[in-house]
Amino acid sequence: MAMAGAEWKSLEECLEKHLPLPDLQEVKRVLYGKELRKLDLPREAFEAASREDFELQGYAFEAAEEQLRRPRIVHVGLVQNRTPLPADAPVAEQVSALHRRIKAIVEVAAMCGVNIICFQEAWTMPFAFCTREKLPWTEFAESAEDGPTTRFCQKLAKNHDMVVVSPILERDSEHGDVLWNTAVVISNSGAVLGKTRKNHIPRVGDFNESTYYMEGNLGHPVFQTQFGRISVNICYGRHHPLNWLMYSINGAEIIFNPSATIGALSESLWPIEARNAAIANHCFTCAINRVGTEHFPNEFTSGDGKKAHQDFGYFYGSSYVAAPDGSRTPGLSRSQDGLLVAKLDLNLCQQVNDVWNFKMTGRYEMYARELAEAVKPNYRPTIVKE
Ligand SMILES: NC(=O)NCCC(=O)O
């Protein structure tokens, strides 16, 4: 089926354009849970966003007032962007151009009072893993602890008192120079709080990432920040409910999902998966996708009998935040760089937990027992036959 590129701006714009108001309200109730209040962001922030040519949107998720706990308010920022330079530009120039682009967006996030910001998956590079070529793409890999991008993010974090989640291609030179798909978490103090690695590596269509790195070996760490407990479920991990679950079991209140995915493969899954994870795990989820089409110098094939090609297809942006009560923000556009600011009250996690009780009713001990059996090589599935 043919798929729209940048000319189709967003589902939201299409609904607003074509639905009469009473229908629109009902559709929004069903599609988004409820209509969220728009955040009153500073005028200078909108002016700067327009000057820098990116979209800025802001929404607030409310929670009920409690007697014993104060609201736990945190502002998160989700950044989606195109790669500013072509993929065949010199590596160092591509990285610098991306640093400059992100710096401009982070400055606007700071004006909006963002406390925790997350960039898209492998944000310092084109998403070149489809090519299965090593050079020059492996040259984008950096140390998570003290590479140039981590140092750059440390400055941003300290200057703006902001936690920065920076998903990069990591080279671990202390352990055999091995590459990983990693997110570095930098505290608002500027210190590197830690890192987490992509647990599930796609082998689907042009997403042949197993040529570059293996499944992550750091489990499901949750990072205690000044603004709440966060974790990072990188891209393809969002198709794995147990992956979300383990971050949640370790206490995550906000799970970021920095991604790189294209319309033909996943656009109809996109609004469902992170949102469902927020509902199932009583937490907030932040789904972030890159934007545009990236062209590579050499043709590659997808192993599907179709012609060789030089691009992945269209990265459709549409980043959004979902809440434990199932409500969600509209998506950023499919076509433009953007910053989505969401004001969260983390008290909502416990409030929804107390209503739906998924943690209490989850029967994890039963699944732990059954899964421990099911993964054994001699396991016989329980099928009842006549
Ligand atoms: N980057 C990545 O893991 N993409 C895989 C495709 C998808 O999960 O939609």
Side-chain angles (χ1 to χ4, degrees), residues 142-202:
E142 299 182 25
S143 157
E145 285 72 26
D146 58 8
T149 294
T150 294
R151 289 193 187 286
F152 164 80
C153 291
Q154 287 182 284
K155 276 197 205 124
L156 292 179
K158 201 163 167 33
N159 287 347
H160 298 301
D161 190 21
M162 204 185 278
V163 172
V164 175
V165 179
S166 170
I168 59 166
L169 181 62
E170 177 195 0
R171 181 179 294 282
D172 185 356
S173 38
E174 284 213 354
H175 302 98
D177 257 338
V178 172
L179 303 186
W180 299 97
N181 187 321
T182 297
V184 187
V185 179
I186 296 149
S187 161
N188 52 318
S189 68
V192 175
L193 197 52
K195 66 184 174 186
T196 179
R197 289 175 174 153
K198 184 171 181 172
N199 280 327
H200 299 272
I201 305 299

Side-chain angles (χ1 to χ4, degrees), residues 5 35 62 82 112 123 129 174 179 239 331 338 341 351 386:
E35 198 159 358
E62 323 274 353
R82 291 173 183 267
C112 299
W123 73 270
F129 310 125
E174 284 213 354
L179 303 186
H239 311 299
V341 179
Q351 289 176 14
E386 188 171 299

Side-chain angles (χ1 to χ4, degrees), residues 121 127 198 202 204 207 209 235-236 238-239 260-261 265-266:
E121 180 183 18
F127 212 73
K198 184 171 181 172
V204 50
F207 290 93
E209 298 169 35
C235 194
Y236 183 76
R238 77 181 179 286
H239 311 299
T261 186
L265 183 67
S266 65

Side-chain angles (χ1 to χ4, degrees), residues 297-313:
N298 302 323
E299 290 186 331
F300 50 89
T301 57
S302 313
D304 60 0
K306 294 200 180 130
K307 276 214 165 81
H309 42 279
Q310 282 173 278
D311 72 76
F312 243 119

